[in-house]
Amino acid sequence: MAVALNDPSTLTLVLMGAAAACAGWVDAVVGGGGLIQIPALLLGFPTVAPVQILATNKVSSICGTSVSAGTYYRHVRPDPKTAIPLALLAFTGALIGASLVSHISRAAFNPIILVVLIAVGTYTLFTPTLGALTNLRYAGRRHVLVATGVGFVIGIYDGALGPGTGSFLVFALVGLLGYSFVQASAKAKIANVATNLAALAIFIPQGAVMWKVGLLMGLGNLAGGYVGARTAVAQGAGFIRVVLVVVLGAFIIKIGLDVIGQLS
């Protein structure tokens, strides 16, 4: 259930905006902007309900994913025969996931986020050469079937929890389907726009969004997403992994200490 929130301080808003800009930049290149935004929101608003954290994150995220998806589309031209079915099944999955999130307690939320942070951070750290070239493993209907299955499953996760969705989409498209990193990122961004829309279709009627925070963060996320997408298209994403691992490491330490505090 959503709880009332006093006006956040100017410092809190500035820090949330900076976190969103960083998240948009990272998300556009390697995915996983929620792994920065959600821990930032958890730290900035420690008393609000998980559904408010996720809903506010979605308002911010959709700003960045929309602009980065457009940038990728103009420069990479992802195949719509795969991208559209992927996005549609991701949208459906996110609707299901978002309808479940109100049943997740705050006490359970931090440990779940911690596990996701560790899993994605470890995978990112130990796969530096993954996705250098496109080498598709399937063709025709089987290719589309695997892609839509990926979209549906990760869509459910995105609606219910969210952090790391972009990374999971990219890694699944690279690891299971054989796309190059940039091609996978382009398709992942289109699917991520769809999952964000689906989640907001559930969260907004519930009154779960902290609009002042979400819209301000959205501006930062939009700017970061634009710069990040152009960086990825121009240079590739290998060097961003170092930044992502460092940021994830910092949040793992902080959220981990919070989880230990809950248990003690």
Side-chain angles (χ1 to χ4, degrees):
M1 179 181 294
V3 298
L5 177 72
N6 294 327
D7 280 343
S9 67
T10 300
L11 177 60
T12 297
L13 291 175
V14 169
L15 293 175
M16 292 302 104
C22 180
W25 182 64
V26 170
D27 190 70
V29 180
V30 296
L35 290 166
I36 296 173
Q37 282 194 158
I38 289 183
L41 284 163
L42 286 169
L43 298 177
F45 304 97
T47 62
V48 306
V51 67
Q52 290 176 278
I53 297 291
L54 295 179
T56 304
N57 173 64
K58 291 302 180 190
V59 170
S60 175
S61 293
I62 198 169
C63 297
T65 54
S66 296
V67 72
S68 58
T71 302
Y72 272 114
Y73 185 81
R74 289 192 300 273
H75 292 86
V76 179
R77 297 292 181 182
D79 178 14
K81 293 181 180 179
T82 300
I84 292 174
L86 170 67
L88 289 175
L89 267 293
F91 180 92
T92 303
L95 284 175
I96 296 171
S99 67
L100 301 175
V101 72
S102 60
H103 302 292
I104 301 174
S105 69
R106 179 69 188 233
F109 196 61
N110 276 352
I112 293 172
I113 298 300
L114 181 61
V115 170
V116 173
L117 285 167
I118 293 172
V120 176
T122 301
Y123 190 87
T124 302
L125 181 62
F126 290 104
T127 54
T129 62
L130 188 66
L133 298 171
T134 293
N135 183 21
L136 297 182
R137 295 178 175 81
Y138 308 106
R141 292 182 179 178
R142 190 176 183 185
H143 176 87
V144 175
L145 182 63
V146 174
T148 54
V150 165
F152 182 70
V153 172
I154 297 179
I156 293 175
Y157 168 81
D158 190 37
L161 291 172
T165 296
S167 295
F168 294 153
L169 282 167
V170 169
F171 295 150
L173 291 172
V174 171
L176 296 178
L177 289 162
Y179 281 107
S180 70
F181 203 76
V182 173
Q183 280 285 342
S185 294
K187 291 175 177 62
K189 286 297 156 288
I190 295 171
N192 217 171
V193 171
T195 60
N196 287 337
L197 282 172
L200 287 174
I202 300 295
F203 292 145
I204 290 175
Q206 294 177 352
V209 177
M210 297 185 290
W211 285 107
K212 183 176 182 179
V213 178
L215 292 175
L216 177 66
M217 291 180 71
L219 292 175
N221 199 278
L222 187 152
Y226 177 76
V227 174
R230 291 184 67 87
T231 301
V233 170
Q235 300 183 22
F239 75 100
I240 302 294
R241 284 191 178 92
V242 176
V243 178
L244 180 59
V245 168
V246 170
V247 172
L248 291 179
F251 280 124
I252 286 170
I253 292 171
K254 180 61 177 72
I255 300 298
L257 291 173
D258 289 347
V259 170
I260 293 172
Q262 290 177 2
L263 297 176
S264 61

